[in-house]
Amino acid sequence: MRFLRLASFLVACACFHSADAGEPVSLIKGDSLEGWTQRGGEAKYSIKNGVIVGESVVNTPNSFLCTDRDYSDFILDVDLKVDMGLNSGIQIRSHVAEEPQVVETKTSSGQIRKKTIPVGRVHGYQVEIDTSERAWSGGIYDEGRRGWLNDLSGDQNEAARKAFKNGEWNHYRIQAIGNSIKTWVNGVPAADLTDGMDASGFIALQVHGIGDNASRAGTKVRWKNIQIQEVKADETAKKEYIDYSGSKGAGVGKKVVLIAGDEEYRSEETLPQLALILSKQHGFDCRVVFPINPETGFIDPNYGENIPGLEALEDADLMIIATRFRALPDEQMQYIDRYLQRGGPVLGLRTATHAFNFPKGSSWSHYSNGYNGPKEAWQDGFGRLVLGEKWISHHGKHKSQSTRGVIVEDQSGHPILRGVEGIWGPTDVYGVRLPLPGDSQPLVLGQVVNRAGEATEGDPLYGMRDTDTELDDSKNDPMMPIVWTKSYQVPEGEVGQVVTTTMGSSTDLVNDGFRQLVVNSVLWLTGLEEQIPTTGASSEIVGEFVPTAFEFRRGDYWPTRQMTVESIEAE
C-alpha cells in the first residue's frame, strides 16, 4: 500500500503572471472516441456529429470517459448540456489508482483525516456540473479524496451561481497553471483555487451514478467543442508569498498564516522575521502573504486591493494579521471570512484594529473600520467585533512618545506573560474605549513615555530609546491597554480566541520583551500553552534583522524600489 501525504503548505510556490499558450487542439476526433478510455462505472458513452453523450445507467458507480494522456498546464474550453436531475463534472489532472492508496489530509478544524483510494477509483480535481437548486456549477470538487475545495456558496458567488443555464448549452473555460485553477461559466468567473496536490493528470467526462433510481435512467449529459491549449508557464515570474516549513518544535504539524499589508508600520518586514522565528525555533509551517501590485508583481504596501496566497487559511491553525484599510477582492476575502466562521484563532498586530475599509455597497462593507450599517453584530467592523476595538486615536504623540508595557498585576501569571519583561517600543500608545467589550481581558497597559533626546535624520527610532524615563502623566491616568485577550463569534460562526496588541511595527519587534510576548501568544492561541516555559518561549532573532523607520512612503517609492518576495526570502 502506497502512503501519500498532502502538503498544504508548499516549500516553494511558482506563481504565474504570464504564460505562453499553444494553439487550441480539439480532443474530439470526428465521430470516434479514439484517445479516450472509460473507467469506473458502466454508464453509456457515444459520439455523433462531434457531440459526446454520456447516458446514466442504474446500479453502477460514477463513470468517467478519460483521455489516454495526461495534461499539466492548460486552458480547456468546452460546451456542455445536461438533463435536469443528472449530476456531472469534468475531471482535470486526475488519476486512477493502480494499487490502494492512503491520502492523509487535515480538516478545517485541524483533525487529521485518512482516506483509502481503492484500485480502479478515478480521483482528482472535478469542475462541477450541477442542476440542483444550490447551483454550484463551475465549483471545484476533489473526486474520491477530499470533497469540496472551492464551492460556490455565499453572497460573493451569487453571479457565478446564476451563470449556468439548466436545459441549455453552457460554455466552460478551465485554466490550470501551476498550482492555480480557475473556472468560468458562460464568461462569468466561478472558482479560483490554489492547491498543490496534483500538477498533472488526465481529463475525464463524468456521468454521476444514480443508484437504483430508475426514473433517472437514460438521462444524458453532452459535451462538444472540447479544445485544449497547453501552456508553457513563465517560471521566471515573481513569487507572491513565502512558505517556511518547520521541522522541530512544539508547533510541528500546525500552520500559521501571517498577513502583511499596511502602509506605515512595515508589516512586510515584521512578519517574515516572525515567521522565521516560529518555523525555525518552534516548528510551525508558516505562510507570509504580502500586498502585491498585480501590474508589476512587486510588493506595494500602498496597493490595498490584492493579497494573494490567502487560500492557505483553509486549513490554518492561526491567522496573524497586520493589515490597514484593505479592500480585498471577493475571492480573497472569502478565505478570511470562512476562517472566522469556523472560529479560527487570531493574533492582531497594531493596525489590524482598522484592517479593512470597503466602499459602501460592497458585500464586505461590514468588515470596514467604523461600519454602522444594518448588520448589528458588525457595528464598528472587524476591529471591534473580532479584535475588540477599531481605530480610535493616537493616545501618545506619534514619533515622539514611545510605549512602555506595564503588566496588569492580577494577570502576571497568564501563560502569555511567562518570562516577559522590559516591553518597550517606539510606536505610540493607541487610544481605546474603556472598558473593552465582552470578555476582553487586558494583560499589558501602555505607559506613554516622553522622548529624552532629539530625533536625528535617518534614526529609525526617531530619537526615542528604551532608556527614556520621563512619563507623560496627563496620558497615563488611566493607561490604555496595549495587549488583551478576548473571544469572538461572527454571526452563525463558531467561537474563536483572540490576542490583540496595538504594538507591532518592525522596530517594536527588536524589543526582546515584546517579541517573546508575541511568540508566547502564538503558542497559547494554537493550544500549546503547556509548551510555554516559565522563562518564556524562545524568540531570538533569526539571521540579520535591520528594520526601517515606520512612516508613510510617497506614491512612487514602492514602484521605484521594486521590492520582490524573493528578495525578502533571501534575506
Side-chain angles (χ1 to χ4, degrees), residues 264-265 350 394 396-405 422-430 447-451 459-468 482 502-512 514 547-550:
E264 185 175 10
Y265 293 101
R350 191 64 174 174
H394 287 283
K397 190 174 181 181
H398 196 45
K399 296 185 178 180
S400 65
Q401 289 183 321
S402 64
T403 297
R404 176 165 289 114
I423 300 171
W424 179 86
T427 48
D428 56 284
V429 175
Y430 273 177
Q447 278 186 338
V448 177
V449 183
N450 291 326
R451 180 176 62 205
D459 178 7
L461 304 182
Y462 296 102
M464 295 174 281
R465 297 291 184 268
D466 60 4
T467 54
D468 294 343
I482 59 170
T502 56
M503 297 179 69
S505 73
S506 61
T507 46
D508 285 344
L509 199 67
V510 173
N511 177 259
D512 293 341
F514 176 69
T548 59
F550 55 85

Side-chain angles (χ1 to χ4, degrees), residues 141-143 242 256 342 353 381 393 446 465 472 529 547-548 553:
Y141 183 83
D142 192 4
E143 173 76 18
I242 303 174
V256 181
R342 67 176 171 94
T353 59
S393 65
R465 297 291 184 268
D472 184 343
E529 173 182 329
T548 59
R553 293 176 178 172

Side-chain angles (χ1 to χ4, degrees), residues 36-353:
W36 299 81
T37 298
Q38 184 169 345
R39 303 180 186 275
E42 299 299 323
K44 299 176 182 178
Y45 288 91
S46 61
I47 185 168
K48 185 176 182 180
N49 297 327
V51 179
I52 296 176
V53 179
E55 182 176 346
S56 59
V57 174
V58 296
N59 298 319
T60 190
N62 295 349
S63 304
F64 303 89
L65 186 65
C66 310
T67 59
D68 290 341
R69 58 155 290 193
D70 289 352
Y71 296 89
S72 179
D73 295 332
F74 58 83
I75 300 170
L76 180 71
D77 286 284
V78 56
D79 294 323
L80 57 93
K81 182 179 179 181
V82 60
D83 290 346
M84 284 297 296
L86 181 60
N87 183 274
S88 181
I90 301 171
Q91 297 292 135
I92 62 170
R93 292 181 174 174
S94 294
H95 311 275
V96 63
E98 297 179 355
E99 56 181 288
Q101 301 176 22
V102 175
V103 177
E104 181 178 310
T105 64
K106 195 172 188 179
T107 67
S108 60
S109 62
Q111 296 180 327
I112 298 295
R113 181 175 63 182
K114 295 181 180 179
K115 184 166 186 175
T116 300
I117 302 175
V119 173
R121 180 67 161 98
V122 170
H123 55 280
Y125 303 118
Q126 179 187 126
V127 181
E128 182 78 355
I129 302 172
D130 182 10
T131 64
S132 73
E133 291 184 359
R134 71 181 181 184
W136 285 359
S137 290
I140 299 175
Y141 183 83
D142 192 4
E143 173 76 18
R145 290 186 301 199
R146 296 170 289 172
W148 281 104
L149 303 178
N150 193 162
D151 63 37
L152 298 182
S153 60
D155 292 345
Q156 69 275 16
N157 290 312
E158 183 177 0
R161 291 196 300 273
K162 291 181 177 178
F164 187 86
K165 306 300 181 185
N166 281 323
E168 301 179 18
W169 284 100
N170 294 271
H171 182 77
Y172 273 31
R173 167 162 283 194
I174 304 166
Q175 175 180 292
I177 301 177
N179 60 1
S180 171
I181 302 174
K182 298 181 180 181
T183 68
W184 291 261
V185 177
N186 295 323
V188 178
D192 186 348
L193 174 70
T194 301
D195 188 84
M197 194 166 197
D198 294 303
S200 64
F202 56 68
I203 293 166
L205 310 178
Q206 185 208 50
V207 176
H208 199 282
I210 59 172
D212 60 0
N213 189 345
S215 68
R216 292 187 178 178
T219 50
K220 299 179 176 65
V221 58
R222 305 161 181 83
W223 297 270
K224 66 180 181 179
N225 300 328
I226 307 175
Q227 292 192 322
I228 191 166
Q229 292 176 274
E230 294 192 76
V231 171
K232 181 179 180 182
D234 178 7
E235 297 180 355
T236 66
K238 302 176 184 67
K239 294 180 66 174
E240 294 181 319
Y241 48 80
I242 303 174
D243 287 325
Y244 296 114
S245 295
S247 60
K248 183 178 181 181
V252 168
K254 292 184 179 291
K255 301 179 177 70
V256 181
V257 177
L258 303 93
I259 308 174
D262 83 287
E263 303 93 328
E264 185 175 10
Y265 293 101
R266 308 279 71 81
S267 56
E268 73 279 355
E269 297 175 356
T270 303
L271 297 190
Q273 175 57 218
L274 180 56
L276 282 169
I277 294 170
L278 296 176
S279 62
K280 301 297 184 184
Q281 298 174 24
H282 299 283
F284 290 96
D285 290 331
C286 294
R287 171 171 290 185
V288 189
V289 296
F290 302 90
I292 303 291
N293 187 319
E295 294 184 1
T296 66
F298 296 122
I299 293 173
D300 186 349
N302 294 338
Y303 192 90
E305 300 177 3
N306 185 45
I307 301 180
L310 290 170
E311 67 280 350
L313 287 170
E314 292 287 78
D315 66 347
D317 299 281
L318 175 63
M319 177 175 79
I320 301 178
I321 184 167
T323 63
R324 177 184 182 275
F325 291 152
R326 302 290 109 169
L328 301 179
D330 290 352
E331 60 269 22
Q332 295 176 4
M333 279 303 297
Q334 66 177 333
Y335 296 117
I336 293 174
D337 191 64
R338 285 206 291 259
Y339 182 84
L340 298 178
Q341 286 287 339
R342 67 176 171 94
V346 179
L347 173 56
L349 303 179
R350 191 64 174 174
T351 57
T353 59

Side-chain angles (χ1 to χ4, degrees), residues 550-561:
F550 55 85
E551 61 182 354
F552 291 102
R553 293 176 178 172
R554 65 188 182 276
D556 63 347
Y557 174 87
W558 294 106
T560 301
R561 181 171 175 181

Side-chain angles (χ1 to χ4, degrees), residues 385-465:
L385 174 60
V386 177
L387 299 186
E389 190 53 288
K390 71 177 186 75
W391 164 250
I392 298 296
S393 65
H394 287 283
H395 185 67
K397 190 174 181 181
H398 196 45
K399 296 185 178 180
S400 65
Q401 289 183 321
S402 64
T403 297
R404 176 165 289 114
V406 177
I407 292 174
V408 175
E409 187 173 349
D410 64 1
Q411 294 298 311
S412 60
H414 196 287
I416 288 176
L417 299 174
R418 289 176 189 164
V420 174
E421 56 184 8
I423 300 171
W424 179 86
T427 48
D428 56 284
V429 175
Y430 273 177
V432 302
R433 290 169 288 184
L434 299 175
L436 291 167
D439 61 357
S440 298
Q441 176 57 63
L443 300 183
V444 183
L445 306 177
Q447 278 186 338
V448 177
V449 183
N450 291 326
R451 180 176 62 205
E454 294 295 325
T456 58
E457 186 175 356
D459 178 7
L461 304 182
Y462 296 102
M464 295 174 281
R465 297 291 184 268

